[in-house]
């Protein structure tokens, strides 16, 4: 069952690459009971390999030149040209996710079928199936796909069929009526769970795409990428903590050797400038490497989508299954995502990358530079401000205390727990300053 569709598609490329359409230019091929959503991707794949065969004519060292020499010339036209001139599809129970592909398939190539009397056919809900798929499709296109194309390909006498069509229907106006809900007893894949019909009316959903639920307003913000925010947030938290701790440790260490305020201020400013530049440069290099890795992964995925579209579609389906979707729903979702933007779908589902918002090294560098500078100013204030301005009971507030991550990350504080930057971090900061002070005192004694 898994390979059934693949084997049925092979006839297309065997005939194309075998040169059948060059030898018989008037030959017409109609592929039926195979669906239709696979056609654009397969044509892209066949065009790609045809292009390699054409290029192989001038490259003697390629695999195509060794095993396919002369094949492109024997084919004549390229695969997409053959499809345009000679091929058609009997699109049994055309599913909703395949309808947006009609322009790429060719509207004049599609001939709808109900697949009667198979269980997967639309009977006795053929009208509902048509409404589910075609309700919002232009009338002239619906008329072509439901009858006009078949009459042209097979040479039907439309005048003779008109009385029967008037009796049996359906009318185009019937198909234009959106379907409220799929029939409960329908077994056709047209109505599979997760299918999003072009003609389904869903209560509470307006054309703007905004839904108001019974639970009240939904205030969660989606205005920016979480990955982008985490990029600068991580850099800012690290920069602030390092700015406070390293500058305080430096100043206290120098204070162990000398009590000259000018020397202390000079050491603190030097540490601020050196530290902020170092942190910014380090973040830029680190995040640039990450960005380059993301671009390389996207380029590889783009190449795989071009060379192996069907394999990539199956991979996306399996990934969606791993996230809890049933096979049918995963197939529908993968097909729709691939049609809209295959690279973006694989980037997000497979690679966990947002191609529209790659990590920005400048954001990380800027956040780190600014937060380090602000953090380093705290211990410097203890030097610049007159001694009387800082009461002894407030000296403890100058102990290293970084930014509150729960505030920057938009998370409410948790009661009964020590947040980052509170007691535990103050203890580590006090220990670091004690070590540097002892070292400065010993070095000062030796220098004296």
């Amino acid at each position: 069952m898994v390979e059934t569709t693949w084997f049925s598609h092979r006839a297309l490329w065997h005939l194309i690459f075998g040169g059948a359409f060059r030898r018989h230019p008037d030959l017409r091929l109609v592929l039926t009971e195979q669906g239709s959503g696979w056609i654009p991707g397969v044509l892209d794949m066949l065009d790609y390999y045809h292009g390699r065969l054409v290029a192989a004519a001038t490259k003697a060292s390629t695999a195509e030149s060794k095993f396919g020499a002369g094949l492109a010339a024997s084919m004549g036209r390229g695969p997409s040209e053959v499809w345009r001139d000679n091929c058609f599809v009997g699109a049994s129970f055309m599913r909703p996710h395949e309808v947006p592909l009609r322009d790429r398939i060719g509207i004049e190539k599609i001939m709808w079928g109900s697949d009667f009397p198979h269980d997967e056919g639309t009977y006795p809900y053929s009208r509902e199936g048509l409404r589910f798929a075609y309700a919002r499709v232009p009338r002239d296109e619906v008329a072509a796909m439901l009858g006009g194309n078949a009459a042209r390909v097979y040479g039907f006498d439309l005048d003779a069929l008109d009385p029967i069509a008037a009796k049996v229907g359906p009318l185009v106006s019937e198909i234009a009526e959106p379907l409220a809900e799929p029939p409960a007893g329908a077994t056709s894949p047209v109505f599979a769970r997760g299918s999003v019909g072009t003609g389904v009316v869903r209560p509470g959903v307006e054309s703007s795409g905004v839904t108001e639920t019974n639970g009240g307003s939904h205030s969660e913000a989606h205005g920016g990428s979480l990955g982008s925010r985490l990029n600068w947030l991580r850099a800012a938290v690290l920069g602030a903590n390092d700015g406070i701790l390293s500058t305080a440790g430096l100043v206290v260490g120098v204070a162990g050797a000398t009590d000259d305020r000018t020397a202390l201020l000079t050491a603190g400013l030097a540490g601020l400038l050196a530290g902020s530049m170092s942190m910014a440069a380090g973040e830029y290099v680190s995040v640039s490497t990450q960005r380059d890795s993301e671009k390389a992964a996207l380029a590889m995925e783009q190449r795989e989508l071009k060379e192996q579209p069907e394999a990539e579609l199956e991979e996306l389906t399996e990934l969606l299954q791993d996230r809890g979707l049933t096979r049918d729903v995963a197939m529908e979702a993968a097909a729709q995502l691939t049609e809209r933007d295959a690279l973006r779908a694989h980037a997000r589902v497979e690679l966990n990358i947002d191609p529209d918002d790659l990590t920005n090294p400048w954001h990380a560098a800027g956040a780190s530079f600014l937060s380090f500078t602000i953090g380093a100013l705290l211990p410097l204030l203890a030097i610049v401000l007159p001694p009387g301005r800082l009461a002894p009971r407030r000296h403890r507030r100058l102990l290293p205390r970084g930014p509150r991550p729960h505030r920057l990350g938009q998370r409410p504080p948790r009661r009964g727990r020590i947040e980052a930057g509170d007691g535990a971090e103050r203890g580590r900061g006090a220990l670091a300053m004690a070590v540097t002070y002892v070292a400065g005192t010993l070095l000062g004694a030796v220098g004296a």
Side-chain angles (χ1 to χ4, degrees):
M1 290 296 294
V2 174
E3 296 182 336
T4 298
T5 55
W6 182 80
F7 277 108
S8 64
H9 301 164
R10 293 179 75 205
L12 177 62
W13 54 74
H14 279 205
L15 289 169
I16 291 176
F17 283 91
F21 294 99
R22 182 181 184 184
R23 297 190 298 273
H24 306 281
D26 296 328
L27 176 65
R28 287 183 172 181
L29 172 67
V30 179
L31 301 168
T32 62
E33 297 192 53
Q34 303 179 32
S36 57
W38 58 274
I39 294 171
V42 167
L43 289 178
D44 287 343
M45 176 187 70
L46 299 181
D47 285 339
Y48 168 77
Y49 284 111
H50 176 257
R52 290 180 65 90
L53 289 171
V54 171
T58 58
K59 298 178 181 178
S61 61
T62 64
E64 288 83 358
S65 64
K66 295 178 181 178
F67 301 106
L71 183 56
S74 68
M75 292 170 56
R77 295 164 294 157
S80 287
E81 296 174 277
V82 171
W83 177 264
R84 180 194 63 203
D85 298 336
N86 300 85
C87 301
F88 304 87
V89 58
S92 300
F93 48 77
M94 195 170 188
R95 292 173 288 180
H97 75 268
E98 296 173 314
V99 175
L101 296 172
R102 63 189 184 279
D103 290 318
R104 294 182 63 191
I105 297 169
I107 295 172
E108 73 284 359
K109 303 292 182 182
I110 299 170
M111 299 178 287
W112 180 87
S114 67
D115 202 33
F116 177 83
H118 297 160
D119 290 339
E120 63 269 24
T122 56
Y123 179 83
Y125 304 107
S126 293
R127 278 179 169 77
E128 289 82 357
L130 291 170
R131 290 168 60 191
F132 191 64
Y134 291 139
R136 304 191 189 280
V137 176
R139 291 191 172 196
D140 58 332
E141 296 183 12
V142 174
M145 292 185 286
L146 294 192
N149 292 338
R152 173 172 49 84
V153 172
Y154 292 107
F156 295 153
D157 186 342
L158 290 179
D159 292 334
L161 292 174
D162 272 345
I164 301 175
K167 180 180 179 181
V168 177
L171 299 175
V172 175
S173 58
E174 292 181 69
I175 306 306
E177 181 67 25
L179 184 68
E181 286 293 335
T187 57
S188 173
V190 171
F191 305 111
R193 288 184 61 192
S195 294
V196 181
T198 60
V200 174
V201 177
R202 299 192 182 278
V205 181
E206 303 296 336
S207 59
S208 64
V210 178
T211 303
E212 185 173 334
T213 64
N214 293 332
S217 61
H218 182 62
S219 60
E220 182 181 352
H222 296 284
S225 166
L226 177 61
S228 177
R229 188 166 77 243
L230 291 177
N231 177 39
W232 66 259
L233 176 61
R234 174 195 54 77
V237 171
L238 290 177
N241 282 331
D242 283 354
I244 297 172
L245 186 58
S246 62
T247 305
L250 176 63
V251 170
V252 170
V254 174
T258 178
D259 58 359
D260 182 55
R261 293 170 62 85
T262 302
L264 295 176
L265 181 61
T266 301
L269 288 174
L272 184 154
L273 292 174
S276 60
M277 294 299 295
S278 175
M279 286 292 295
E283 284 291 340
Y284 183 87
V285 172
S286 175
V287 178
S288 291
T289 302
Q290 179 181 343
R291 185 183 180 91
D292 290 342
S293 299
E294 291 174 342
K295 287 183 175 180
L298 289 173
M300 178 178 293
E301 195 64 36
Q302 181 70 71
R303 184 169 63 252
E304 291 175 348
L305 285 167
K306 185 175 182 180
E307 296 177 358
Q308 307 172 58
E310 288 194 309
E312 289 298 303
L313 179 60
E314 177 61 27
E315 180 183 36
L316 182 58
T317 300
E318 292 176 354
L319 289 170
L320 292 173
Q321 281 186 268
D322 291 341
R323 297 192 176 194
L325 299 183
T326 64
R327 174 71 181 179
D328 286 343
V329 174
M331 289 177 65
E332 295 281 353
Q336 291 190 44
L337 290 171
T338 299
E339 162 57 18
R340 290 168 185 165
D341 194 322
L343 180 59
R344 180 173 285 102
H346 281 267
R348 290 178 173 175
V349 177
E350 180 182 350
L351 304 175
N352 292 321
I353 295 174
D354 183 352
D356 296 325
D357 193 16
L358 300 180
T359 51
N360 191 318
W362 289 108
H363 289 174
S368 183
F369 178 88
L370 182 61
S371 62
F372 187 99
T373 301
I374 294 174
L377 286 175
L378 295 179
L380 287 181
L381 289 176
I383 302 172
V384 175
L385 294 178
R389 296 289 300 277
L390 290 175
R393 60 177 178 157
R394 297 179 58 193
H395 283 178
R396 62 184 181 88
R397 294 190 177 273
L398 292 179
L399 290 175
R401 179 176 181 172
R404 300 295 184 96
H406 72 269
R407 293 177 182 172
L408 292 175
Q410 301 178 5
R411 173 179 65 78
R414 299 175 184 175
R415 294 183 179 179
R417 293 189 58 180
I418 297 177
E419 295 287 347
D422 284 339
E425 189 171 348
R426 288 185 180 183
R428 290 192 295 268
L431 177 62
M433 287 191 293
V435 171
T436 56
Y437 180 80
V438 170
T441 301
L442 294 176
L443 292 173
V446 172

